[in-house]
């Protein structure tokens, strides 16, 4: 799929299996708070100059060998948020996780990358270039899966443990 601005929303699982190459923002939303209100990324997503946003009522999974590239924009992934009120307040499913397969990548040259989860975050290669990486786990753990976190600044907040490896 190619084009300017791409926005897709559903109240059930949303699986992206075709590459997206947008010149403007990309927003994908799985509204609700059910255990199946997931987003699964099984394709590459590129935004030429704007943001990539994924909001799921339950979990967000980025599968192996998949890349989210916001060029100079921001990437925001939120799990466990209903988002029907367009407010991030973690009113979705209590077991909402963010799972980035160890061979997936999130990247931008100068924007920020925010991973904001109701429960656990498992990271992959996350490269914000000159920007900031923010990892927030409301009720879970943050785990770095043998991959690099690259940014000018790193902010980690959460209720559980954070396991990071310096490389």
């Amino acid at each position: 799929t190619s084009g300017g601005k791409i926005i897709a929303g559903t109240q059930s699982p949303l699986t992206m299996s075709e590459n997206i190459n947008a010149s403007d923002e990309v927003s994908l939303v799985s509204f609700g708070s059910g255990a199946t209100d997931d987003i699964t990324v099984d394709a590459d997503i590129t935004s030429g100059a704007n943001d990539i946003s994924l909001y799921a009522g339950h979990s967000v999974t980025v599968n192996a060998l998949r890349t989210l590239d916001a060029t100079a924009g921001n990437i925001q992934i939120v799990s466990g948020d209903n988002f029907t009120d367009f407010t991030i307040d973690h009113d979705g499913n209590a077991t909402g996780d963010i799972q980035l397969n160890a061979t997936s990548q999130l990247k931008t040259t100068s924007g920020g990358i925010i991973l904001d989860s109701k429960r656990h975050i498992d990271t992959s290669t996350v490269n914000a270039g000159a920007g900031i990486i923010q990892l927030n786990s409301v009720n879970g753990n943050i785990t770095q899966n043998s991959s690099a976190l690259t940014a000018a600044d790193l902010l980690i907040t959460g209720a559980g443990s954070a396991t990071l490896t310096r490389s």
Side-chain angles (χ1 to χ4, degrees):
T1 303
S2 295
K5 184 181 290 190
I6 297 175
I7 299 173
T10 183
Q11 285 198 299
S12 59
L14 177 61
T15 300
M16 295 309 301
S17 56
E18 269 191 55
N19 291 343
I20 294 175
N21 187 359
S23 59
D24 204 339
E25 74 177 280
V26 176
S27 295
L28 305 176
V29 182
S30 180
F31 296 101
S33 58
T36 61
D37 292 323
D38 299 321
I39 295 177
T40 302
V41 178
D42 198 20
D44 296 333
I45 300 175
T46 302
S47 174
N50 268 302
D51 300 341
I52 297 172
S53 303
L54 308 177
Y55 305 102
H58 187 238
S59 293
V60 177
T61 301
V62 179
N63 285 333
L65 303 174
R66 299 303 172 198
T67 299
L68 277 65
D69 185 351
T71 311
N74 300 303
I75 296 174
Q76 182 173 30
I77 300 176
V78 178
S79 71
D81 193 281
N82 185 339
F83 208 64
T84 54
D85 56 3
F86 297 99
T87 301
I88 298 171
D89 52 9
H90 298 287
D91 57 350
N93 194 288
T95 62
D97 297 331
I98 296 174
Q99 300 169 326
L100 307 178
N101 181 282
T103 59
S104 65
Q105 295 183 61
L106 306 181
K107 63 182 183 175
T108 179
T109 57
S110 58
I113 297 177
I114 299 170
L115 304 180
D116 190 354
S117 181
K118 178 80 172 215
R119 198 172 67 158
H120 304 306
I121 299 173
D122 293 323
T123 70
S124 62
T125 299
V126 180
N127 186 345
I132 184 171
I133 295 173
Q134 296 179 35
L135 306 175
N136 178 48
S137 171
V138 174
N139 292 314
N141 301 321
I142 299 169
T143 305
Q144 179 187 6
N145 290 320
S146 303
S147 53
L149 300 175
T150 305
D153 295 299
L154 176 63
L155 174 63
I156 300 171
T157 56
S161 65
T163 305
L164 305 174
T165 305
R166 185 181 171 126
S167 56

